[in-house]
């Protein structure tokens, strides 16, 4: 019998959870293909290594942008490769739960479901990212008790207040890890006349990036191309500069958190101030994010233990409830009937 599979279909990476085994795959959502023949060459890590380094006939692309499918054909082919990798060749097709941002439209939902079916799933269910993140972080979402989850991924930041197993209030903004990287690229260009690539920006974000003043200033030497001479150049960048670079996108995320809190019923706000805010996703690991949210909201904020895998773990745990689902339910968090 085919194992049920949970997929965290992220803009930056895809995590696959197989029932009974846990997370068995964590690879970047990148595909490389031959432009002339349309042949798929590499998927995941091997394809990511090619980003920005390919000869004319090979292109490496990320088929998901800002949390949704931007290249349907490539997403389907990438999903097929990943499902094949974890499920192998089987007569039985697996049932699959795929994670989607909370602000997804019906058209985008349908695209994800169709891509999953075409990639070899027998049936596709959807679950909203903040709900999956809450389950993965170990929150009991079935109780009549308000919890707030801030999930900052690669393409979207999803903020949601969850009670009785569903989303009460939410916001999904297309500002997350990728936009933080872009902000670094723009800052380096503006402040240092230095052109750096996306991967360098990502490295800077991980090593010295911060959104709240650090106790100790950190410095990193950054290599790039000087825009004035066109030659390679090395610049020393401090963690305080990174705070300046991140200011705009981080402000947008903070505004979204505020607006969700403003719309939340007072009883649930009282619950949240007791339970605290839980942050998940790779973007929440930027130094000081929890401190910033605590300082701005006055509500104790913590980062979930396994922040990057939370959504995938929650999706995996949801597999256990599949048998009790009525067949028409596609989106588990909304229990919405879709024909």
């Amino acid at each position: 019998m085919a194992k049920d599979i949970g997929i965290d279909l992220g803009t930056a990476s895809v995590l696959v959870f197989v029932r009974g085994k846990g997370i068995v795959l964590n690879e970047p959502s990148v595909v490389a293909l031959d432009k002339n023949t349309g042949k798929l060459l590499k998927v995941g890590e091997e394809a990511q290594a090619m980003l920005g380094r390919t000869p004319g006939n090979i292109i490496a692309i990320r088929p998901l942008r800002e949390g949704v499918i931007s290249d349907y054909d490539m997403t389907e082919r990438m999903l097929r490769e990943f499902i094949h990798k974890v499920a192998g060749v089987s007569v039985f097709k697996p049932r699959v739960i795929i994670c989607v941002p909370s602000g997804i439209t019906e058209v985008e939902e349908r695209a994800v479901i169709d891509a999953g079916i075409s990639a070899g799933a027998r049936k596709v269910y959807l679950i909203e990212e903040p709900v999956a993140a809450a389950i993965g972080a170990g929150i009991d979402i079935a109780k009549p008790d308000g919890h707030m989850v801030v999930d900052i991924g690669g393409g979207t930041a999803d903020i949601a207040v969850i009670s009785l197993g569903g989303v009460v209030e939410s916001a999904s903004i297309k500002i997350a890890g990728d936009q933080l990287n872009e902000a670094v690229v723009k800052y380096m260009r503006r402040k240092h006349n230095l052109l750096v690539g996306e991967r360098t920006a990502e490295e800077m974000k991980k090593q010295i990036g911060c959104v709240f003043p650090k106790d100790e200033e950190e410095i990193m030497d950054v290599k790039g191309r000087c825009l004035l001479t066109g030659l390679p150049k090395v610049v020393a960048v401090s963690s305080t500069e990174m705070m300046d670079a991140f200011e705009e996108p981080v402000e947008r995320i903070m505004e979204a958190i505020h607006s969700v809190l403003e719309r939340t019923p007072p009883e649930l706000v009282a619950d949240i101030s007791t339970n605290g805010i839980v942050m998940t996703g790779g973007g929440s690991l930027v130094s000081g994010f929890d401190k910033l949210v605590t300082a701005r909201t006055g509500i104790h904020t913590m980062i979930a233990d396994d922040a990057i895998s939370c959504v995938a773990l929650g999706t995996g745990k949801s597999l256990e409830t599949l048998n009790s689902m009525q067949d028409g339910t596609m989106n588990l968090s909304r229990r919405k009937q879709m024909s």
Side-chain angles (χ1 to χ4, degrees), residues 89-104:
V89 182
S90 167
V91 182
F92 301 104
K93 291 181 171 184
R95 288 183 301 180
V96 176
I97 296 184
I98 299 178
C99 221
V100 291
S102 55
I104 194 168

Side-chain angles (χ1 to χ4, degrees), residues 70 75 80 123 128 139 145 152 172 178 205 211 226 238 244 247 250 291 299 302 311 320 330:
S70 60
T75 304
R80 182 177 296 147
K123 199 159 185 60
E128 289 174 7
I139 296 170
D145 188 17
I152 304 173
S172 179
D178 285 353
K205 178 176 76 180
V211 296
C226 177
S238 70
D244 294 345
E247 192 177 356
V250 167
K291 291 178 184 158
I299 300 169
M302 55 240 144
V311 173
E320 290 158 24
M330 284 299 186

Side-chain angles (χ1 to χ4, degrees), residues 27-215:
E27 299 222 10
S29 9
V30 182
V31 290
L33 75 157
D34 189 317
K35 213 159 51 177
N36 304 337
T37 61
K39 183 172 177 274
L40 198 65
L41 301 172
K42 300 282 182 203
V43 171
E45 242 155 47
E46 294 170 320
Q48 191 185 33
M50 298 180 174
L51 273 178
R53 297 198 169 110
T54 55
N57 64 320
I58 298 173
I59 48 169
I61 53 172
R62 293 171 65 176
L64 292 125
R65 280 268 161 228
E66 299 173 339
V68 293
I69 294 173
S70 60
D71 186 327
Y72 178 83
D73 184 42
M74 283 300 121
T75 304
E76 185 219 304
R77 288 165 78 172
M78 177 176 78
L79 272 177
R80 182 177 296 147
E81 286 289 318
F82 287 151
I83 290 175
H84 179 71
K85 216 177 212 181
V86 300
V89 182
S90 167
V91 182
F92 301 104
K93 291 181 171 184
R95 288 183 301 180
V96 176
I97 296 184
I98 299 178
C99 221
V100 291
S102 55
I104 194 168
T105 66
E106 291 210 0
V107 174
E108 289 162 347
E109 275 189 8
R110 182 50 67 193
V112 174
I113 291 166
D114 291 347
I117 298 282
S118 306
R122 173 167 44 126
K123 199 159 185 60
V124 174
Y125 297 89
L126 305 180
I127 185 168
E128 289 174 7
E129 268 164 25
V131 175
I135 298 170
I139 296 170
D140 183 355
I141 62 166
K143 290 180 179 168
D145 188 17
H147 290 275
M148 187 175 207
V149 176
V150 178
D151 177 51
I152 304 173
T156 58
D158 281 274
I159 301 109
V161 173
I162 297 162
S163 177
L164 287 168
V167 175
V168 181
E169 277 299 339
S170 70
S172 179
I173 56 169
K174 295 181 182 344
I175 304 268
D178 285 353
Q179 284 67 31
L180 293 177
N181 294 349
E182 277 170 31
V184 172
V185 172
K186 282 180 189 161
Y187 179 86
M188 294 303 290
R189 173 176 256 172
R190 191 177 68 239
K191 181 88 190 288
H192 295 288
N193 281 323
L194 193 74
L195 191 63
V196 296
E198 212 174 291
R199 294 182 70 170
T200 305
E202 173 85 22
E203 211 45 55
M204 291 166 72
K205 178 176 76 180
K206 284 180 180 169
Q207 284 194 28
I208 57 166
C210 66
V211 296
F212 198 79
K214 282 191 173 188
D215 302 335

Side-chain angles (χ1 to χ4, degrees), residues 4-9 15-19 22-24 96-100 125-141 149 151 162 165 280-281 304-322 325 332-333 335:
D4 294 334
I5 296 174
I7 299 176
D8 172 11
L9 190 60
L15 282 81
V16 179
F17 184 107
V18 174
R19 195 170 173 182
I23 294 173
V24 293
V96 176
I97 296 184
I98 299 178
C99 221
V100 291
Y125 297 89
L126 305 180
I127 185 168
E128 289 174 7
E129 268 164 25
V131 175
I135 298 170
I139 296 170
D140 183 355
I141 62 166
V149 176
D151 177 51
I162 297 162
T280 63
D305 286 347
D306 196 350
I308 292 178
S309 310
C310 264
V311 173
L313 290 169
T315 309
K317 283 182 188 169
S318 310
L319 291 170
E320 290 158 24
T321 60
L322 269 189
M325 292 294 154
L332 304 184
S333 8
R335 299 280 194 274

Side-chain angles (χ1 to χ4, degrees), residues 211-290:
V211 296
F212 198 79
K214 282 191 173 188
D215 302 335
E216 223 170 276
E217 183 85 282
E218 289 181 13
I219 306 283
M220 177 181 173
D221 286 338
V222 179
K223 298 185 181 105
R225 187 169 78 227
C226 177
L227 287 165
L228 305 175
T229 63
L231 299 171
K233 181 181 168 185
V234 179
V235 172
V237 181
S238 70
S239 48
T240 311
E241 284 187 89
M242 293 295 278
M243 252 175 75
D244 294 345
F246 289 153
E247 192 177 356
E248 195 188 331
V250 167
E251 208 46 57
R252 295 274 302 279
I253 292 171
M254 290 311 303
E255 279 167 17
I257 293 173
H258 270 161
S259 80
V260 171
L261 279 169
E262 277 168 12
R263 299 195 306 269
T264 302
E267 274 78 11
L268 291 178
V269 173
D271 290 344
I272 292 163
S273 62
T274 309
N275 296 329
I277 296 172
V278 176
M279 295 187 79
T280 63
S284 66
L285 298 177
V286 174
S287 174
F289 229 135
D290 50 341

